[in-house]
Amino acid sequence: KALDNYESVIRLNPNYLMAYYFMGNVYVDRWQPGDFERAMEKYRALWKLAPNYVQSHHQAGLVHLKKAADDRRLFDQLRAQGKQAEAASALLQLKKDWNDALHYFWKYHAIDPVFDANFSRAAWVHMQMAELAVLEGRPSEAQTHYDAAEAQYLEYLQAWGCRKPEHNMMGENWEQNHRHYDMPAAVEMFENLGNARFVRGHLPDAIRAYRMSLWRDPKNARAMKNLASV
């Protein structure tokens, strides 16, 4: 019924952006065979009208993450069944979907460089790709992804986007005094930064990140447990 109503909106007003955006979202929520393609078709129709409709780029990234989750389940299933050729094909598709997700997260970042979920999800993708590179015996590639994941967390926490010189129009001197440590997302960002460092064996740096998480939320039990593990 939602899709029927949005189709009516588009028929009556083809330039109404939200109808395309929400139709894409409905396809993602429904997630039946073919809904991945239908969702992306609606987002592409939206971009023809408004290429900088920022949230749609993050949503497109999420669509590819959802498809990647399906690919990962298929890969694990095929590998368990001993179907190596089919598993290799599923693995290639999984990597493509992860890279496509990063592509759309970066398109979002180019327009809005301060949305916390964009950083955390991009970092999560890099961590998954690093884990896979380790399993496949490519340590240098894994280190590249670990570096990228840490950079995502640090860019958000240290407000790299806000602190660019071109944003000092009113003499705020944000380079000296502006960070995102007091934002609600900072607790989890510091915790995940600690996790990324822990996986790499960078234990002193992991300790600092976990302590920063506990500084923002002294009751963060996960950070306490992870700090104890270190």
Side-chain angles (χ1 to χ4, degrees):
K1 290 183 178 179
L3 292 169
D4 288 343
N5 280 281
Y6 289 134
E7 287 286 8
S8 297
V9 172
I10 290 173
R11 185 176 67 256
L12 296 168
N13 183 359
N15 292 321
Y16 188 65
L17 306 176
M18 298 292 284
Y20 299 97
Y21 176 65
F22 282 121
M23 284 189 78
N25 295 354
V26 169
Y27 285 127
V28 177
D29 290 339
R30 189 176 69 173
W31 208 245
Q32 294 178 1
D35 280 346
F36 167 78
E37 292 79 9
R38 296 183 187 99
M40 292 304 301
E41 178 185 353
K42 292 304 177 184
Y43 295 142
R44 284 191 285 268
L46 168 62
W47 295 330
K48 288 181 180 179
L49 298 170
N52 289 337
Y53 192 102
V54 63
Q55 189 62 29
S56 64
H57 295 301
H58 184 80
Q59 196 69 17
L62 292 181
V63 175
H64 283 86
L65 286 190
K66 193 165 187 174
K67 186 170 182 293
D70 291 346
D71 295 333
R72 183 59 187 263
R73 283 191 291 270
L74 178 61
F75 167 70
D76 291 337
Q77 176 184 343
L78 291 170
R79 186 174 59 171
Q81 294 171 351
K83 299 178 179 179
Q84 300 304 324
E86 294 92 334
S89 177
L91 182 60
L92 287 175
Q93 184 59 52
L94 171 62
K95 293 178 181 178
K96 181 181 184 304
D97 285 328
W98 276 341
N99 280 303
D100 287 343
L102 289 173
H103 167 77
Y104 287 109
F105 290 148
W106 276 107
K107 287 180 75 70
Y108 184 103
H109 180 276
I111 305 168
D112 172 15
V114 296
F115 179 43
D116 56 270
N118 205 65
F119 292 103
S120 61
R121 284 167 176 153
W124 182 87
V125 174
H126 280 296
M127 292 297 293
Q128 301 305 304
M129 297 179 81
E131 178 185 346
L132 191 58
V134 169
L135 292 175
E136 293 181 332
R138 298 194 305 278
S140 60
E141 181 181 328
Q143 294 305 316
T144 299
H145 285 298
Y146 285 136
D147 288 341
E150 286 200 35
Q152 292 292 303
Y153 295 130
L154 290 172
E155 180 176 352
Y156 175 77
L157 290 164
Q158 296 179 359
W160 293 353
C162 303
R163 292 160 52 200
K164 290 182 178 179
E166 59 265 30
H167 296 159
N168 197 36
M169 294 179 294
M170 303 295 291
E172 301 96 334
N173 295 319
W174 282 359
E175 169 60 31
Q176 299 177 16
N177 56 41
H178 181 74
R179 304 292 186 273
H180 291 160
Y181 297 168
D182 59 344
M183 300 294 285
V187 175
E188 187 172 351
M189 288 285 186
F190 277 123
E191 178 190 337
N192 288 336
L193 176 61
N195 295 343
R197 291 171 170 175
F198 180 80
V199 169
R200 307 183 75 174
H202 297 177
L203 302 186
D205 291 335
I207 288 172
R208 282 192 285 272
Y210 289 139
R211 284 178 174 168
M212 288 294 284
S213 181
L214 290 168
W215 170 57
R216 296 311 311 159
D217 179 11
K219 296 183 179 180
N220 184 350
R222 291 188 308 271
M224 294 180 197
K225 180 179 179 180
N226 294 343
L227 186 56
S229 297
V230 176

